[in-house]
Amino acid sequence: MIVGVGVIVAVAVAATGGGGKGKKSPTESTERSPGPSLSLPSGFPSLPSSLPSVVPSLPSDLPTGLVPSDLRSLFPSLADDEVPYYLLRKGDCFDTDDALPGQAARRECTRPHDAEVVKVSELNGTYTTEAALKKAASALCKAPLEQKASYQAAGTVRETLVQYPDTGSYETGIDKVACSLAAGVGKGTHKLTGPLK
C-alpha cells in the first residue's frame, strides 16, 4: 500500500548572514548509555561433527525463465538512498524530485544537495483539511527555520521546505513534519555544498 504524502514548499527565506555570526547553537549530547551484556548458558549441546560439506542445489532440469536470475526485479523499490520524508532526521541532507513527492534522496552534506533538515517535529491535534495541516506544520517550522537561516551566509539558502502528511496519512498515524532549509528546490542550478552552520 502506498501512502500519499503532502509536500509543500513554504515561503522563501533570504539569508542575510551576519545576524547570528559568532553565536553558537547548543550542542546535542552524543553519549550513549551502556547496553545490556548478554551471556549464553554453558549447557548448550555442541553441533554434531558429521555435518554435510556440500549444500544441495536446485535440480538442473527446471524450465528456464521460471526463476529470474535477479530476484530483486520482482519487487519494486526505491533507490537505496530514497526514503519517505518522515524518516529524515535533523542534520540529514537530501535532494528532492517533483516526480516523487514525499520522498527524499539522502546525500552526504559535503556533496551538492538541495536541502538539509533543521528540525523534525510531530503534529498534535485534529486536522480535517489540508489547509489546517499546512498551517500547523508551517507554525512548527517557522521559528527554528528563521533562527537557522540567520546563521547562514547570504545567498546560501533561498527557501524553506516544510514536508508534512496529507489528511489521509495523518489519520493513519503519520504525524512527522520535516523542517528544512533549501538552496532552491526544483531550481536545479543552485545547491548547498556543505552542512549548514
Side-chain angles (χ1 to χ4, degrees):
M1 179 169 111
I2 297 176
V3 178
V5 177
V7 179
I8 297 297
V9 176
V11 181
V13 174
T16 58
K21 288 192 177 182
K23 292 182 186 176
K24 302 241 182 207
S25 60
T27 59
E28 295 179 9
S29 172
T30 57
E31 293 181 32
R32 293 181 181 234
S33 58
S37 64
L38 300 175
S39 61
L40 297 175
S42 59
F44 278 127
S46 60
L47 291 174
S49 59
S50 60
L51 288 175
S53 60
V54 177
V55 177
S57 61
L58 290 174
S60 60
D61 59 346
L62 284 177
T64 58
L66 189 62
V67 178
S69 60
D70 179 18
L71 291 177
R72 289 184 67 164
S73 67
L74 295 176
F75 305 101
S77 64
L78 298 170
D80 289 337
D81 58 354
E82 298 234 1
V83 296
Y85 87 88
Y86 52 84
L87 293 180
L88 292 171
R89 291 176 284 166
K90 179 181 176 181
D92 280 351
C93 295
F94 62 96
D95 283 340
T96 61
D97 184 347
D98 290 338
L100 296 170
Q103 299 296 324
R106 285 188 175 134
R107 299 289 181 248
E108 289 182 34
C109 291
T110 56
R111 303 238 183 225
H113 55 280
D114 291 334
E116 182 177 330
V117 179
V118 170
K119 182 176 183 178
V120 176
S121 294
E122 291 181 5
L123 291 162
N124 292 308
T126 303
Y127 306 100
T128 56
T129 66
E130 298 292 326
L133 278 167
K134 177 182 178 181
K135 183 177 179 180
S138 294
L140 286 172
C141 292
K142 184 176 179 12
L145 290 178
E146 285 177 354
Q147 180 182 11
K148 190 70 164 183
S150 71
Y151 289 98
Q152 308 313 307
T156 305
V157 294
R158 296 181 177 178
E159 294 177 342
T160 62
L161 178 64
V162 177
Q163 295 168 298
Y164 59 94
D166 61 16
T167 53
S169 299
Y170 186 66
E171 288 172 4
T172 65
I174 297 174
D175 60 357
K176 299 282 191 234
V177 175
C179 312
S180 305
L181 288 177
V185 176
K187 310 279 189 304
T189 57
H190 187 70
K191 296 274 191 179
L192 296 174
T193 56
L196 297 173
K197 296 178 183 185

